[in-house]
Amino acid sequence: MNYRELVSRGDLHYEHTVKRSEGGLPIGNGRMGSLLWTSPSAVKLQVNRVDVYANDRSTNSFNQRHLDYAYACGFVDIDFVDNGEDAFQDGTVRQHLSLYDAMATIRGNGVGLEAFAYDHSDVFAFKVEDGRKNPQGINIKLKMLRPAEVATKNHTAVSKLVMHKDVMILKQEFREGSYYCSSAVAVGISGRGGVIRMNDELGGRAPVADFRVSKVLGQPNETEMRLCIRPETGNFEIFIASSATFDENEDVAASAIKQLEAARNAGYDRLLQEHQLWWNEFWQKSYIFLSSDDGSAEFVEKHYTYYVYLMASNSRSGKYPPNFGGMLLSPRGDFRHWGAMQWWSNLRLYYNAVQATGHYELMQPYFDMYSGMYDSCAKAAEQQWGSKGIYIPETVWFNGVDELPENIAAEMRELYLLRKPWEERSEIFKQYAHNKHPHESRWNWKGHEEWIDGSLVYSDKSWGPFGSTTHMFWNIVGIAYHYWNYYEFTKDLTWLNKRAYPMIKGAAEFLRNYPHLRKEDDGKYHLHNTISGEKYIGGKDTIQVMSALHGIFPVLLKASNVLDADQDMRPLWEEFYRNLAPLPRSDHPEAIYKTKEKEEPVWVGAIGRVLDDRQDIATDPMRDFILCSLETASENPDWFKTGKATLAYQRDRLGGDWGKAATEMSSVTVMLAGMGEAEGFKQAVLAQLECVNAEREYCYYADTGKIKYYDNRLTVREGVNAISAQRLGNVAHGLQLALCQSQPGAPGKEPVINVFPAVPDGWDAEFSLWCHGGFNVTSSIRNGVIVSLSIESTLGGICRLRNPWGERQVSVKNGDRESKIFSGSLLEFETLAGEAFNFIEMEVK
């Protein structure tokens, strides 16, 4: 495979200026990132980091939606024009993002630059060229995000511009109570002379005359510093470093300077060589190559490759994942629609497709964040719900959940568990809740706020203690399932013991001990008063939470058996799982939606009454926790039959067009590929990438009207400054399942590899993807015929392969050994670590 040629098919290339900053070229190293965009005279960027948060779980200063902030550290403009022709104009500008080298190139009228985010420290490196006949001074501007001092109730944000020798520095400090976070951006050049300027205290100009002493420049209204570079033909280098800390005793500016000086000493060319080596090796881990006569396959492929690039640029090496809305790419400051918290239903869409790429390192920030909040979530399970295990809210701060005063916790339990009428909330509880952020799941019953006579007034959402996410619990299991999947891919027993098992057990025990779970007259355990997907408010056996229960308990039992842990608990867990109520179906007497008598039953959202009076079918079991996929037919034919009936019912409701269901967050591509629906998958994946349903989404309005997506394939469906790649994550996951699945027939069972289960007609494909058990599968299909298939066993163990040629005999060759002949629908054989197997269909005599 020519990896450079393949990956380059996904490059971005513009021969125009972008109309808005959101359309810029994305670069990042997983901790620090930015878009690069042009104005007529300048190239601009905003330095963003995953570990910069203005506030945390303890805040009482941000009780309005969308007004908390995070991630951004400062603006940098590289201004090429003092007085002359614009540098970047439509028709002459050339902008290119090489995915293979992870490098942006921008060329204009006589000027240009290359840029990348260095992979071994937090530095942006630029090589700038001025080839104009009459070169002009180039000014690098370092700008604050806000005025130098801002107070929001008990919260303060202080920014300072500092020069240290020939380096410009912007430092931010955020404080509220005992909370502290600080960031610094340092900017310096190499290969050209320059001078730092800014209005000084006397109103004049302050050149850098003494590099021996660092000093703070300017009055509080000074928000910009400039590094003015001497006019000269030729090249020079710019380095922009950043750092962040939660430790008040750490010198964050010194950390940024240290990284900058190391980069300058190494030089641009050496950094570039190391950077390219890392990325070129990165791309060899896995790949997908597609082609078709109508171009649809190539269109999907380039978006898939771009998704992999974005994940490596936005989620690597840091202790926290990027925010789902904006990632490391927000260009308009640090206010984002939907705020700074993580919304798991959105965040998961970025991570569902990562593990099949084999780039397990990209999962670590996600795992580090959720493991880091374990203790606070264990306390929340007890305080808020009177349960055990861990309660991870659907919408949660980066460091978890704040501990409640005992009187507030006691009243919250009574209210949220419906033991105390909502109208009888105490004034103390109302005031405590008033100061809390309405996006946080705990307080999500708060309706939209408004100012009346100088006071901020909330209504509730008319469902009592229920909000859109207050009683949503499937996300806890979804998070734990990602941990389990990591073990299934890597077979890392230390990981299972130290990281995964506590999350799996914590999620299961929270639901098992939830006070509204009880065994009823039918001998089954039923769960009352939950929420599923921000709907079916207060329902019984809501589809998502029941899917979660059916998904997590067999996994818990398997994990405890592998680790030989909690032997005393296994009988309790087995009894619970054995008597768990079934997933809600339309043939239940109390189903919220009933099919007609002669129609096949389908899955529905809940049984019993729901407060939002919603009637609907549900496809969740085919999207989450591997409850229903092609392999389910062998383990649980009844579930598979219901899944197929549900798909057929939904398809008919859509008039046969799955594209109508393919919105930004929709996992319809995942569902259809997982169930082997090739043509439905093609409809959905193309519609999702083209954003054909954008009119039903709240996209951002630009001067040209409603935007579906920008030049860089990203959307702003989530709102201002909340750039999103969610649809790309959905497409990537669905495409992987269409090409290669490694699903068990039921949760906790042994996975089976299935190649090309949902490839659309007319698509040729080749892939190398990773499967459960550490198996690397490489295969190709041409004109509907599988022409090659090989499997490398990196960990050893039993390989189970669904025979891609049906029941026909298959020759399996292991290196120089004699071929073995297998037959039947399931091929099962022992492997040793490092062995590779080639499969060939035997000719029919």
Side-chain angles (χ1 to χ4, degrees), residues 426-573:
S426 69
E427 290 302 317
I428 293 175
F429 183 87
K430 289 179 181 179
Q431 185 56 51
Y432 189 90
H434 180 83
N435 293 327
K436 295 301 181 180
H437 201 301
H439 282 158
E440 187 177 357
S441 290
R442 273 183 166 173
W443 316 106
N444 193 236
W445 48 263
K446 295 165 76 170
H448 289 287
E449 62 270 15
E450 60 179 330
W451 289 93
I452 300 177
D453 297 330
S455 297
L456 185 65
V457 177
Y458 290 98
S459 60
D460 61 36
K461 294 182 178 178
S462 75
W463 301 320
F466 293 98
S468 299
T469 64
T470 49
H471 295 63
M472 185 185 292
F473 304 136
W474 77 301
N475 61 289
I476 313 172
V477 171
I479 294 164
Y481 219 91
H482 274 143
Y483 281 75
W484 171 249
N485 252 340
Y486 185 92
Y487 166 72
E488 286 277 63
F489 274 94
T490 65
K491 295 301 179 184
D492 186 336
L493 282 171
T494 300
W495 166 268
L496 179 63
N497 185 34
K498 299 294 185 181
R499 300 292 295 273
Y501 189 68
M503 303 298 287
I504 295 166
K505 179 180 176 182
E509 282 294 271
F510 174 80
L511 291 174
R512 189 177 72 88
N513 290 279
Y514 182 64
H516 283 306
L517 184 140
R518 53 183 177 266
K519 201 172 195 179
E520 299 185 359
D521 292 342
D522 60 358
K524 300 294 184 182
Y525 289 99
H526 295 269
L527 194 58
H528 296 255
N529 299 316
T530 66
I531 293 171
S532 179
E534 300 190 13
K535 54 189 177 182
Y536 314 124
I537 307 296
K540 174 183 177 182
D541 292 349
T542 55
I543 186 67
Q544 283 186 344
V545 78
M546 292 308 294
S547 295
L549 283 165
H550 280 278
I552 199 63
F553 269 89
V555 164
L556 173 63
L557 288 165
K558 184 175 181 179
S560 69
N561 184 60
V562 170
L563 295 173
D564 195 22
D566 291 314
Q567 295 184 27
D568 57 329
M569 293 297 296
R570 280 186 225 165
L572 292 174
W573 295 337

Side-chain angles (χ1 to χ4, degrees), residues 77 79 82 138-143 161 163 168 187 194-199 204-208 217 223-229:
D77 293 354
D79 200 331
D82 276 338
I138 297 174
N139 293 321
I140 306 172
K141 300 174 182 178
L142 180 58
K143 301 178 181 181
L161 286 166
M163 69 171 180
M168 298 189 296
V187 182
V195 63
I196 297 175
R197 296 187 181 276
M198 191 175 101
N199 289 347
R205 298 314 243 176
V208 179
L217 296 179
T223 60
E224 177 183 315
M225 181 184 288
R226 290 172 297 140
L227 176 50
C228 305
I229 301 168

Side-chain angles (χ1 to χ4, degrees), residues 543 583-588 591-596 599-607 616-619 621-622 639 641-650 653:
I543 186 67
L583 301 177
R585 291 200 322 186
S586 59
D587 55 350
H588 190 283
I592 62 168
Y593 185 89
K594 294 183 175 64
T595 44
K596 296 178 182 178
E599 291 176 330
E600 290 287 342
V602 298
W603 282 310
V604 298
I607 58 177
D616 203 358
I617 68 169
T619 57
M622 291 169 284
W639 271 14
K641 183 179 180 182
T642 303
K644 281 291 191 180
T646 305
L647 281 182
Y649 200 89
Q650 179 74 328
R653 295 172 79 186

Side-chain angles (χ1 to χ4, degrees), residues 284-551:
Q284 297 181 39
K285 192 76 173 181
S286 63
Y287 66 87
I288 289 176
F289 172 81
L290 305 175
S291 64
S292 62
D293 290 341
D294 63 2
S296 62
E298 291 90 337
F299 178 71
V300 174
E301 176 212 294
K302 75 176 182 180
H303 283 83
Y304 174 82
T305 306
Y306 187 56
Y307 157 81
V308 178
Y309 169 83
L310 287 175
M311 289 306 296
S313 300
N314 285 269
S315 178
R316 178 162 42 93
S317 303
K319 293 183 179 180
Y320 304 100
N323 184 269
F324 80 91
M327 299 178 286
L328 287 172
L329 306 177
S330 292
R332 297 178 175 271
D334 51 12
F335 289 98
R336 303 179 178 198
H337 205 71
W338 303 114
M341 279 181 274
Q342 289 290 8
W343 302 60
W344 183 79
S345 293
N346 303 80
L347 186 65
R348 69 189 169 98
L349 303 181
Y350 291 109
Y351 287 95
N352 287 337
V354 166
Q355 301 197 64
T357 69
H359 291 295
Y360 308 128
E361 72 276 11
L362 305 186
M363 295 294 300
Q364 297 311 317
Y366 174 93
F367 291 137
D368 286 347
M369 181 182 74
Y370 283 115
S371 290
M373 64 177 71
Y374 183 95
D375 290 342
S376 75
C377 294
K379 186 67 175 179
E382 172 193 342
Q383 279 199 314
Q384 185 168 340
W385 301 107
S387 188
K388 297 180 181 179
I390 53 172
Y391 166 59
I392 307 176
E394 157 68 17
T395 308
V396 67
W397 299 101
F398 72 97
N399 59 349
V401 194
D402 199 28
E403 185 171 344
L404 298 168
E406 282 303 324
N407 61 326
I408 298 297
E411 185 169 359
M412 178 179 277
R413 288 193 298 274
E414 294 299 297
L415 290 167
Y416 286 28
L417 293 172
L418 310 182
R419 297 166 180 164
K420 178 178 181 178
W422 187 242
E423 297 74 19
E424 296 181 12
R425 286 166 290 161
S426 69
E427 290 302 317
I428 293 175
F429 183 87
K430 289 179 181 179
Q431 185 56 51
Y432 189 90
H434 180 83
N435 293 327
K436 295 301 181 180
H437 201 301
H439 282 158
E440 187 177 357
S441 290
R442 273 183 166 173
W443 316 106
N444 193 236
W445 48 263
K446 295 165 76 170
H448 289 287
E449 62 270 15
E450 60 179 330
W451 289 93
I452 300 177
D453 297 330
S455 297
L456 185 65
V457 177
Y458 290 98
S459 60
D460 61 36
K461 294 182 178 178
S462 75
W463 301 320
F466 293 98
S468 299
T469 64
T470 49
H471 295 63
M472 185 185 292
F473 304 136
W474 77 301
N475 61 289
I476 313 172
V477 171
I479 294 164
Y481 219 91
H482 274 143
Y483 281 75
W484 171 249
N485 252 340
Y486 185 92
Y487 166 72
E488 286 277 63
F489 274 94
T490 65
K491 295 301 179 184
D492 186 336
L493 282 171
T494 300
W495 166 268
L496 179 63
N497 185 34
K498 299 294 185 181
R499 300 292 295 273
Y501 189 68
M503 303 298 287
I504 295 166
K505 179 180 176 182
E509 282 294 271
F510 174 80
L511 291 174
R512 189 177 72 88
N513 290 279
Y514 182 64
H516 283 306
L517 184 140
R518 53 183 177 266
K519 201 172 195 179
E520 299 185 359
D521 292 342
D522 60 358
K524 300 294 184 182
Y525 289 99
H526 295 269
L527 194 58
H528 296 255
N529 299 316
T530 66
I531 293 171
S532 179
E534 300 190 13
K535 54 189 177 182
Y536 314 124
I537 307 296
K540 174 183 177 182
D541 292 349
T542 55
I543 186 67
Q544 283 186 344
V545 78
M546 292 308 294
S547 295
L549 283 165
H550 280 278

